[in-house]
Amino acid sequence: EAQVTQNPRYLITVTGKKLTVTCSQNMNHEYMSWYRQDPGLGLRQIYYSMNVEVTDKGDVPEGYKVSRKEKRNFPLILESPSPNQTSLYFCASSLSRGRKETQYFGPGTRLLVL
Amino acid sequence: LAKTTQPISMDSYEGQEVNITCSHNNIATNDYITWYQQFPSQGPRFIIQGYKTKVTNEVASLFIPADRKSSTLSLPRVSLSDTAVYYCLVAGNTGGFKTIFGAGTRLFVKA
């Protein structure tokens, strides 16, 4: 089944404790992306990746890191989480970033930083 | 990147047709218009995509006028399960590779 998976689905952590949220897709998609969603603010893009080893900042990259060492995986790293990073996070992928792109979203990761 | 504007919220009743309009005045020649649906605590999912005129699938119709500065998502005979947030997205090869979702339209379907 074609899908985007994220782990963990729920995470409670404390300020400053490094964490990684994994994202994997099995559709051989080139374009992958991370979003955060907060009440009243909609979906905001954190980072995206056009292909392996090619990443770039979205609209809200501060406090986050990403890597794309393999085509299927695009982990989101919070080196020193802070309470303002408490949010619902979505990973997404699409075949390419172009005119007719359709993004497929993962189930989301709900993060609480105390 | 083309900025989109949608109504913040809409109410409807079961069985009615719902039309949600999105404005995208600075859409580029190569841009397609894509609509996503999102249920609470779930990721958005693709509904429909078009470039011009009319597109129809088993879920919805998309109407795009000749100037392409707006588009209308039409949901026929909505049910309670259509209560969700609907996002209009304009994407293309121009203007970089970021993706910007607007605030979306929160549709509430009542019995």
Side-chain angles (χ1 to χ4, degrees):
Chain A
E1 179 191 354
Q3 61 182 347
V4 177
T5 57
Q6 296 178 226
N7 282 293
R9 294 290 313 279
Y10 304 91
L11 180 59
I12 301 174
T13 189
V14 295
T15 299
K17 186 175 181 182
K18 181 180 178 179
L19 66 92
T20 299
V21 183
T22 63
C23 172
S24 183
Q25 50 92 5
N26 62 1
M27 296 169 279
N28 201 35
H29 284 172
E30 291 186 351
Y31 186 82
M32 296 187 73
S33 189
W34 275 102
Y35 298 87
R36 61 176 290 174
Q37 187 167 38
D38 304 289
L41 296 177
L43 281 156
R44 294 180 292 167
Q45 193 177 41
I46 303 171
Y47 269 95
Y48 62 90
S49 169
M50 298 298 297
N51 213 324
V52 175
E53 302 292 2
V54 182
T55 64
D56 207 346
K57 297 176 181 178
D59 282 335
V60 288
E62 294 78 21
Y64 304 94
K65 284 176 57 177
V66 293
S67 68
R68 187 94 181 271
K69 292 182 169 46
E70 304 167 283
K71 198 170 187 178
R72 63 181 292 132
N73 296 324
F74 190 44
L76 179 69
I77 303 157
L78 284 71
E79 294 271 4
S80 183
S82 62
N84 64 11
Q85 292 178 297
T86 291
S87 187
L88 178 58
Y89 291 87
F90 291 103
C91 179
S93 73
S94 64
L95 188 58
S96 64
R97 177 63 175 89
R99 293 179 299 160
K100 294 190 71 175
E101 70 158 28
T102 300
Q103 293 196 44
Y104 296 83
F105 285 79
T109 295
R110 192 170 291 278
L111 173 65
L112 173 61
V113 183
L114 301 172
Chain B
L1 289 173
K3 177 180 164 55
T4 61
T5 303
Q6 306 173 231
I8 295 296
S9 65
M10 296 180 70
D11 287 348
S12 182
Y13 288 93
E14 282 191 294
Q16 289 187 334
E17 178 185 75
V18 171
N19 296 309
I20 306 174
T21 297
C22 177
S23 296
H24 28 79
N25 290 319
N26 58 340
I27 188 170
T29 304
N30 292 337
D31 288 344
Y32 275 68
I33 300 152
T34 308
W35 285 80
Y36 290 85
Q37 175 191 56
Q38 186 182 26
F39 298 114
S41 297
Q42 294 185 25
R45 73 179 185 110
F46 171 86
I47 302 177
I48 197 166
Q49 183 180 73
Y51 183 79
K52 62 180 179 181
T53 63
K54 176 184 175 182
V55 179
T56 297
N57 61 22
E58 65 277 5
V59 176
S61 294
L62 180 59
F63 299 91
I64 305 168
D67 65 6
R68 303 201 329 120
K69 293 184 183 301
S70 67
S71 58
T72 298
L73 173 72
S74 181
L75 304 172
R77 299 178 298 281
V78 294
S79 63
L80 297 176
S81 63
D82 291 316
T83 294
V85 178
Y86 293 83
Y87 295 95
C88 162
L89 202 67
V90 175
N93 279 327
T94 55
F97 300 100
K98 283 185 182 180
T99 302
I100 297 179
F101 279 82
T105 297
R106 188 173 299 275
L107 173 65
F108 186 69
V109 180
K110 295 178 275 192

